[in-house]
Amino acid sequence: MSNLGRRLLTTAGAGAAAIVLAATPALADADTSYYADTVASGSYLSQAGTMRFDSLGDKFNACDNWSDGAGVIGYWKVGSGGTVHSLYNGGGIGTCATSNQDLAESATVYIKACLRDDGDVKEGTCSAWEKGYADGIP
């Protein structure tokens, strides 16, 4: 093979490697959604409310999935011992309340969903804390 042929192959190989390396950081911005659904308790049905965290945009959503007269209160925190924040949605079935945040890409996020009726959080409907990742990659 001529020197020119070897240089072209070497240059092509280096270019392909550069493309692969350049694409790797984009994986850190994975668009992943994490969910916590309410559980059945008394007259309240399972999945009547949802707290969702979208890693792309660091967006939290408290969504009402059922016409039961109760609102949805979602909780979120960064790290297992972090400060607990809440997001309430009393808009009715098919609505979501949204909160956009700016979290560190290395953050581990925990979310939880409960129903709230007449200002009273129905503890029996609360989901467990669900773990998510701000970069979308576990």
Side-chain angles (χ1 to χ4, degrees), residues 4-24:
L4 177 60
R6 282 191 197 109
R7 283 189 204 156
L8 288 175
L9 285 176
T10 303
T11 302
I19 290 170
V20 169
L21 291 176
T24 303

Side-chain angles (χ1 to χ4, degrees), residues 1-88:
M1 179 180 293
S2 71
N3 283 338
L4 177 60
R6 282 191 197 109
R7 283 189 204 156
L8 288 175
L9 285 176
T10 303
T11 302
I19 290 170
V20 169
L21 291 176
T24 303
L27 294 176
D29 292 329
D31 184 9
T32 304
S33 295
Y34 301 93
Y35 299 86
D37 292 316
T38 60
V39 297
S41 178
S43 64
Y44 301 107
L45 299 178
S46 177
Q47 299 178 344
T50 300
M51 180 65 164
R52 185 179 81 226
F53 172 67
D54 298 321
S55 64
L56 190 62
D58 297 337
K59 185 168 46 172
F60 294 90
N61 297 283
C63 301
D64 192 336
N65 304 324
W66 195 254
S67 181
D68 53 14
V72 177
I73 186 160
Y75 299 99
W76 64 275
K77 61 185 179 177
V78 176
S80 60
T83 301
V84 177
H85 305 272
S86 65
L87 176 61
Y88 177 68

